[in-house]
Amino acid sequence: MWEIARSNKRKSVIFVFLMALLLVLMGGVFGEHFAQSAETGLLVAFVIWVILSIIAYFQGRNVFLAVSGAHKIRKEDHPRLFNIVEEMTIASLLPAIPEIYIIDDPAPNAFAVGRKPDSAAVAVTSGLLNTLNRDELQGVIAHEIGHIINRDTLFMSMLGVMLGSIVILSEIARRSLFFGGGRRRTRTSSSGGGQIQVILMIAGLVLMLLAPILARLIYLAASRKREYLADASAAIFTRLPEGLASALEKISVSPIRLRKINQVTAPMYTINPLQNMKLAEDSLFSTHPSTLNRVRILRSMAGGSGYDAYDAAFRAVTGQTRAIIPPSALKTAHATVPSRSRRSDPKSDPGTDQTKQAPSAMGMAGAVLTAAVLMDAAAEPVTPAAKVRETTDAIWKSRGYRFIPCPCGAALKVPPDYRRTDIVCLRCGRKHPAASAS
Amino acid sequence: MECPVCRESMIVIEYDDIELDYCVGCMGVWFDAGEIELMLGKSGIPFPSEALRFRVADTDARELRRPCPLCGKTMQKVCPEHGRVILDRCPAGEGIWFDAGEIREVIKESAGAAGDIVLGALRRYLGEALAEK
């Protein structure tokens, strides 16, 4: 399952190199222009980059989760979601179950963070849990785990830091220029220095304007391809491309926008929350490939859920002749993976279908996966209202609330900082000891 | 969430898929925006209901101004359109705060049949909280 990660690594080196080159060039030219010393500029660029990198490497995950307003949940808070994440952990051979976070936001979306596959985290919004059925939710979780397995979470955050450094440098240069900074006296010691100064000044101006845009393009180009690869991984883990396709469709047509979102965090989500959903085609400035294309590819996967089927569908839908899946991955066992039928479709017979296919497709992992799928079958709430209650209860529990069921039919939810020893029910006036909450 | 009157942590009560916040200390109740409408809608009362129109209170000097438990902005003093009970409403539209007994008073004031239906709906949700003490 790591062949995409390996192939990505080689391409990542190119992207990182391009980004670094841009950073060095900016530092040098700005230093020469503003402080008459390229070394000073290089040093400033280097220091900004090192500081941001250290923060991103050690605290990036927590900063990102905190900024998004995510709360960690335990298994008992939302057993169904845990069950799905566990299944996908097994199917993807991820070394550890990622931590699970819920964001209280009605817009359906999800993201994954973490620099290592054994210490990753997956966050989903309450809107996602309320909107999707089990197959769809499984597709989204599999896509996020695909990002973790393919090492996108680490790479995109490191590349994001370089982008951030370039933006900050360019901002410093712009402000210095605006406030009259930048010594323009020419150096008399070197002959022809004036001419070099002019060239440097123009180069500096051009860089100041273009570097952040160029850096963003590199960043976005890297992130787009990784979305396709994570979709391909999701198809293999779930063996049901339709699950993710249908989820992407539901997420993209949702009129609700995420509340806590900005340009830097946007590329981390399953579907870019800032992108205009009507854009049908890929453009240079999109973080994610067009949702329409992603859905079309998943739905055109004929003859299974493996890399072969995804690659063929990708070429048919986009009209590109180059493969999206690295050739090394097409030679592995995951090249051909049989699909399973939809669980949410009452006409299908999931039991016999899955037990027949799983062991041959995925070995032990597949068999365990099938067992988990079947065990959890009854756990999905039937009505939309029950699903919403399941989600809101998980959010309360993630914030440390404990519950008391009152015989009058009401449920009392007690905050963690409640100081009294008793709780009087608002409906029936019954007194409950606060200690009875669980 | 903190009670705007006594600053205690409020309890969340859920009944029939509707969640309200109340304070055990003063028995005041907070309705998030849309929750009253949801409650009445479930009882078949179309919104906007006569009983739910508010106007800014004529005199607000008698009661202390309180912060909205959600956004912290100072709440407005409002009255039901045809009543005199003074309630607190968030200026940003986050919700309405009823002191203990104020829900009952609002219903008592609202004239005619509309009030009775609203009373029926609220009694279903709030039960004893509406009973005369």
Side-chain angles (χ1 to χ4, degrees):
Chain A
M1 206 59 248
W2 304 95
E3 55 278 1
I4 287 197
R6 272 192 290 273
S7 156
N8 271 350
K9 209 180 262 175
R10 286 190 293 275
K11 293 200 182 79
S12 311
V13 173
I14 303 171
F15 281 120
V16 170
F17 178 75
L18 280 175
M19 214 55 141
L21 193 70
L22 207 54
L23 196 62
V24 165
L25 208 64
M26 271 185 83
V29 172
F30 287 171
E32 185 64 37
H33 183 60
F34 290 107
Q36 316 266 289
S37 136
E39 292 83 6
T40 313
L42 279 175
L43 191 70
V44 171
F46 184 71
V47 167
I48 292 177
W49 175 68
V50 166
I51 292 173
L52 287 183
S53 294
I54 289 172
I55 297 172
Y57 194 77
F58 291 103
Q59 282 302 320
R61 186 188 115 130
N62 297 342
V63 167
F64 196 84
L65 286 166
V67 164
S68 322
H71 288 268
K72 190 176 166 185
I73 58 160
R74 294 159 304 166
K75 187 166 187 171
E76 56 267 37
D77 298 341
H78 202 302
R80 192 164 61 92
L81 178 60
F82 255 82
N83 190 295
I84 292 174
V85 176
E86 280 169 359
E87 266 169 41
M88 289 301 105
T89 304
I90 295 166
S92 63
L93 304 179
L94 200 65
I97 298 168
E99 288 182 342
I100 305 172
Y101 287 75
I102 293 191
I103 302 165
D104 185 11
D105 196 310
N109 225 322
F111 65 80
V113 284
R115 63 176 194 267
K116 278 190 274 173
D118 55 3
S119 62
V122 174
V124 298
T125 63
S126 50
L128 190 86
L129 294 172
N130 293 341
T131 321
L132 304 187
N133 67 30
R134 197 183 196 290
D135 283 340
E136 293 159 348
L137 196 54
Q138 197 188 43
V140 172
I141 296 292
H143 171 95
E144 295 310 329
I145 288 185
H147 276 312
I148 299 171
I149 289 270
N150 300 344
R151 295 299 190 101
D152 301 345
T153 43
L154 169 72
F155 171 68
M156 290 315 290
S157 62
M158 292 329 266
L159 213 56
V161 162
M162 294 176 105
L163 168 63
S165 311
I166 289 172
V167 170
I168 289 175
L169 261 181
S170 152
E171 194 63 12
I172 293 174
R174 199 179 60 85
R175 276 163 204 247
S176 330
L177 206 67
F178 185 76
F179 291 111
R183 283 165 264 162
R184 287 188 186 82
R185 60 193 155 80
T186 47
R187 267 184 264 180
T188 46
S189 54
S190 63
S191 59
Q195 215 172 358
I196 294 171
Q197 281 295 95
V198 171
I199 294 171
L200 269 178
M201 206 172 94
I202 295 170
L205 274 173
V206 170
L207 257 183
M208 188 179 80
L209 293 171
L210 284 188
I213 299 171
L214 264 175
R216 205 158 281 155
L217 288 183
I218 297 172
Y219 181 65
L220 299 181
S223 84
R224 270 198 307 275
K225 183 168 182 193
R226 281 160 189 267
E227 288 306 316
Y228 283 124
L229 295 178
D231 284 354
S233 303
I236 290 172
F237 302 156
T238 57
R239 295 189 294 120
L240 186 73
E242 176 54 30
L244 180 60
S246 163
L248 289 175
E249 229 170 29
K250 276 193 186 172
I251 297 172
S252 65
V253 297
S254 165
I256 312 163
R257 290 300 173 96
L258 273 168
R259 291 191 209 122
K260 291 184 177 172
I261 195 71
N262 60 47
Q263 292 285 355
V264 180
T265 56
M268 303 288 283
Y269 286 86
T270 308
I271 282 196
N272 184 349
L274 294 177
Q275 203 165 316
N276 182 357
M277 295 311 172
K278 286 179 189 120
L279 277 180
E281 301 308 324
D282 288 356
S283 84
L284 272 179
F285 288 95
S286 33
T287 55
H288 287 46
S290 93
T291 310
L292 194 66
N293 272 357
R294 288 170 70 188
V295 173
R296 272 194 206 137
I297 294 168
L298 288 165
R299 292 220 164 116
S300 333
M301 287 175 73
S305 301
Y307 286 141
D308 272 346
Y310 191 88
D311 201 55
F314 173 82
R315 286 191 242 196
V317 169
T318 60
Q320 289 187 27
T321 45
R322 277 185 61 191
I324 183 84
I325 305 289
S328 55
L330 289 172
K331 290 187 197 110
T332 63
H334 292 114
T336 49
V337 174
S339 299
R340 66 175 175 88
S341 57
R342 289 192 74 151
R343 253 169 39 87
S344 307
D345 179 6
K347 278 175 255 163
S348 69
D349 184 3
T352 50
D353 177 49
Q354 284 167 11
T355 36
K356 241 188 255 166
Q357 291 184 351
S360 60
M362 310 282 295
M364 267 307 286
V368 178
L369 163 68
T370 309
V373 166
L374 293 176
M375 256 167 44
D376 191 48
E380 176 153 14
V382 190
T383 62
K387 217 179 230 180
V388 171
R389 193 183 314 133
E390 181 191 35
T391 311
T392 35
D393 282 354
I395 291 169
W396 287 123
K397 285 175 184 166
S398 75
R399 292 177 184 178
Y401 276 67
R402 289 166 304 136
F403 290 21
I404 298 176
C406 185
C408 73
L412 306 178
K413 301 169 186 180
V414 188
D417 54 350
Y418 187 75
R419 295 274 168 266
R420 290 174 181 263
T421 48
D422 290 322
I423 296 157
V424 179
C425 173
L426 180 73
R427 281 197 81 238
C428 65
R430 271 192 192 86
K431 224 180 218 184
H432 300 275
S436 67
S438 58
Chain B
M1 201 154 72
E2 246 180 26
C3 167
V5 179
C6 39
R7 305 269 163 175
E8 270 189 41
S9 266
M10 292 202 278
I11 301 283
V12 177
I13 179 166
E14 180 208 309
Y15 182 72
D16 202 9
D17 295 330
I18 290 173
E19 282 183 344
L20 302 176
D21 301 83
Y22 73 99
C23 171
V24 177
C26 66
M27 289 314 250
V29 183
W30 170 259
F31 283 76
D32 273 337
E35 267 169 343
I36 299 185
E37 290 85 335
L38 196 64
M39 195 178 270
L40 297 182
K42 280 192 164 226
S43 303
I45 300 167
F47 184 78
S49 161
E50 278 286 310
L52 287 180
R53 274 194 218 127
F54 296 97
R55 60 182 166 83
V56 177
D58 306 329
T59 166
D60 54 3
R62 277 176 296 160
E63 268 195 21
L64 208 65
R65 287 190 167 259
R66 289 154 180 171
C68 165
L70 276 181
C71 68
K73 285 188 189 131
T74 306
M75 292 197 280
Q76 271 179 324
K77 297 289 176 192
V78 294
C79 290
E81 203 168 48
H82 302 292
R84 285 194 199 151
V85 185
I86 299 174
L87 308 168
D88 300 83
R89 186 174 66 178
C90 168
E94 300 276 11
I96 293 189
W97 173 259
F98 291 81
D99 282 330
E102 278 182 347
I103 299 178
R104 193 177 60 238
E105 285 178 46
V106 169
I107 295 164
K108 258 192 193 168
E109 278 185 358
S110 59
D116 291 341
I117 303 171
V118 174
L119 177 68
L122 286 172
R123 194 178 286 285
R124 221 186 116 221
Y125 285 91
L126 299 173
E128 289 297 310
L130 291 176
E132 299 276 355
K133 296 241 162 66

